[in-house]
């Protein structure tokens, strides 16, 4: 039988020595190769495997890729856990305080209701005097005018003459003191305004006082006038303030363009009569050493200068 016979009696081929016999190990290796005669590659990552020639092939291990370090933590994340808890607690406390303040101010300006009737005293204790609101929510007739309070004085000069000063705009002085000041005082904000409102509400249309409150309001305005005139140096060297006069300058607030409303832009004035400075006030000023204020008797004086 030749090598091309098939069946159970077919020859198995020649061995290395040329004799017939079963296939050897090398022949088995060749038979397990690919169809193109190449050998199977060893699995990646395995080392120390034996190749066809018996040599050991080392496969390099995979290297770990280094991760770039992240930048330093900033802001809230940079705080330690203890300080983070403290910061959160502070923010919560501020938020609660702000909400409580807004709620109390809302109840103060809102119309009368069940809450204000039951807790009105607590609301007033919180609002007055620093957070006082001079307006009402849903007011039927809100204020739409700017009122400026001005004062002037008659000054007795050192040579015996009389000099009348110009008008000092006290409201403008308060406005300049408030502008740019993050914490203006309660006096600067409300002293003059409340004093003028007190006078207007306690006097009739002829500027005559109504009851004792009317006389008290005049005394209050006199004192404010003397303080402000002294601050501005109205009397001058050797001069003495003898009489003061107030007036108000009222201008309408310009309406928005979309309203179509037209109002007069001309100011209106309300002049009060001249008030003599009382001797009691002068004596007190001399004792304090703050200013010199003289007084002259009303006898023989005419009307307003």
């Amino acid at each position: 039988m030749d090598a091309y016979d098939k069946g159970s009696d077919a020859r198995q081929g020649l061995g290395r020595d040329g004799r017939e016999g079963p296939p050897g190990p090398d022949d088995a290796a060749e038979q397990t190769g690919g169809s193109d005669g190449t050998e199977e590659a060893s699995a990646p990552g395995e080392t120390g495997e034996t190749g066809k020639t018996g040599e050991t092939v080392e496969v390099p291990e995979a290297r770990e890729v280094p991760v770039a370090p992240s930048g330093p933590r900033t802001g809230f994340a940079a705080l330690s856990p203890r300080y983070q808890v403290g910061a959160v607690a502070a923010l919560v406390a501020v938020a609660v305080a702000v909400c409580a303040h807004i709620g109390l101010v809302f109840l103060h300006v809102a119309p009368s209701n069940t809450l204000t009737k039951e807790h009105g005293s607590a609301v007033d204790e919180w609002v007055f005097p620093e957070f006082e609101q001079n307006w009402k929510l849903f007011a039927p007739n809100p204020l739409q005018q700017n009122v400026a309070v001005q004062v002037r004085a008659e000054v007795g000069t050192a040579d015996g003459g009389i000099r009348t000063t110009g008008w000092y705009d006290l409201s403008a002085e308060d406005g300049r003191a408030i502008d740019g000041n993050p914490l203006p005082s309660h006096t600067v904000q409300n002293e003059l305004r409340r004093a003028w409102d007190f006078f207007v509400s306690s006097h009739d249309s002829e500027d005559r006082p109504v009851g004792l409150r009317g006389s008290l309001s005049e005394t209050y305005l006199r004192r404010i006038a003397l303080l402000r005139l002294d601050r501005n140096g109205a009397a001058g060297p050797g001069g003495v303030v003898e009489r003061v006069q107030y007036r108000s300058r009222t201008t309408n607030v310009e309406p928005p363009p979309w309203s179509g409303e037209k109002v007069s832009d001309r100011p209106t004035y309300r002049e009060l009569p001249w008030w003599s400075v009382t001797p009691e006030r002068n004596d007190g000023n001399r004792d304090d050493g703050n200013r010199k204020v003289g007084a002259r008797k009303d006898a023989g004086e005419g009307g307003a200068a």
Side-chain angles (χ1 to χ4, degrees):
M1 302 176 76
D2 59 14
Y4 298 100
D5 292 337
K6 297 180 181 180
S8 59
D9 298 332
R11 291 187 302 176
Q12 300 297 324
L14 298 179
R16 284 183 174 273
D17 55 356
R19 293 178 299 178
E20 295 180 359
D26 293 340
D27 296 332
E30 291 177 3
Q31 292 176 3
T32 59
S35 60
D36 56 352
T38 57
E39 298 177 357
E40 278 189 12
S42 58
E46 297 179 357
T47 59
E49 294 184 359
T50 304
K52 183 172 68 172
T53 58
E55 297 179 356
T56 301
V57 179
E58 295 185 358
V59 179
E61 296 181 358
R63 296 182 179 180
E64 186 176 335
V65 179
V67 180
S70 59
R73 294 183 299 177
T74 58
F76 185 80
L79 299 176
S80 63
R82 181 177 61 179
Y83 286 103
Q84 287 181 354
V85 172
V88 171
L91 291 175
V92 171
V94 171
V96 171
V98 170
C99 292
H101 173 72
I102 294 175
L104 291 171
V105 173
F106 175 82
L107 291 176
H108 175 69
V109 301
S112 179
N113 54 69
T114 304
L115 287 177
T116 55
K117 290 178 181 178
E118 184 175 356
H119 305 288
S121 58
V123 173
D124 291 341
E125 287 180 2
W126 175 262
V127 172
F128 292 104
E130 295 299 333
F131 305 116
E132 178 186 0
Q133 305 294 313
N134 192 30
W135 61 282
K136 292 295 182 182
L137 196 64
F138 314 121
N141 187 23
L143 185 63
Q144 297 180 353
Q145 294 176 329
N146 290 323
V147 180
V149 180
Q150 302 172 347
V151 68
R152 65 177 177 176
E154 275 189 358
V155 178
T157 60
D159 57 0
I162 298 295
R163 176 175 59 87
T164 303
T165 66
W167 290 103
Y168 291 88
D169 195 334
L170 305 184
S171 298
E173 292 178 2
D174 288 346
R176 288 191 293 268
I178 294 173
D179 290 343
N181 187 353
L183 297 172
S185 68
H186 181 69
T187 301
V188 173
Q189 297 181 79
N190 298 310
E191 180 186 57
L192 180 64
R193 178 181 60 82
R194 294 295 299 272
W196 185 255
D197 290 343
F198 182 26
F199 173 85
V200 172
S201 62
S202 59
H203 284 69
D204 59 17
S205 59
E206 300 296 330
D207 298 327
R208 292 182 298 232
V210 179
L212 295 177
R213 288 175 59 83
S215 301
L216 180 62
S217 66
E218 292 182 6
T219 303
Y220 190 28
L221 280 177
R222 280 192 182 97
R223 293 180 177 179
I224 293 176
L226 292 174
L227 289 171
R228 299 296 186 90
L229 291 170
D230 179 69
R231 186 186 304 171
N232 288 284
V240 177
V241 175
E242 297 187 351
R243 296 200 303 173
V244 296
Q245 184 185 28
Y246 274 96
R247 79 173 180 182
S248 64
R249 181 179 184 271
T250 304
T251 54
N252 293 316
V253 176
E254 184 178 358
W258 50 262
S259 67
E261 182 182 359
K262 294 183 179 180
V263 296
S264 174
D265 57 354
R266 297 184 60 182
T268 58
Y269 294 90
R270 175 184 179 181
E271 286 192 5
L272 306 184
W274 285 93
W275 293 336
S276 296
V277 180
T278 60
E280 292 79 10
R281 179 61 179 168
N282 297 333
D283 294 339
N285 288 330
R286 291 193 186 98
D287 294 339
D288 293 339
N290 293 329
R291 69 182 63 81
K292 292 182 179 180
V293 180
R296 65 182 178 184
K297 296 180 179 179
D298 294 336
E301 290 184 356

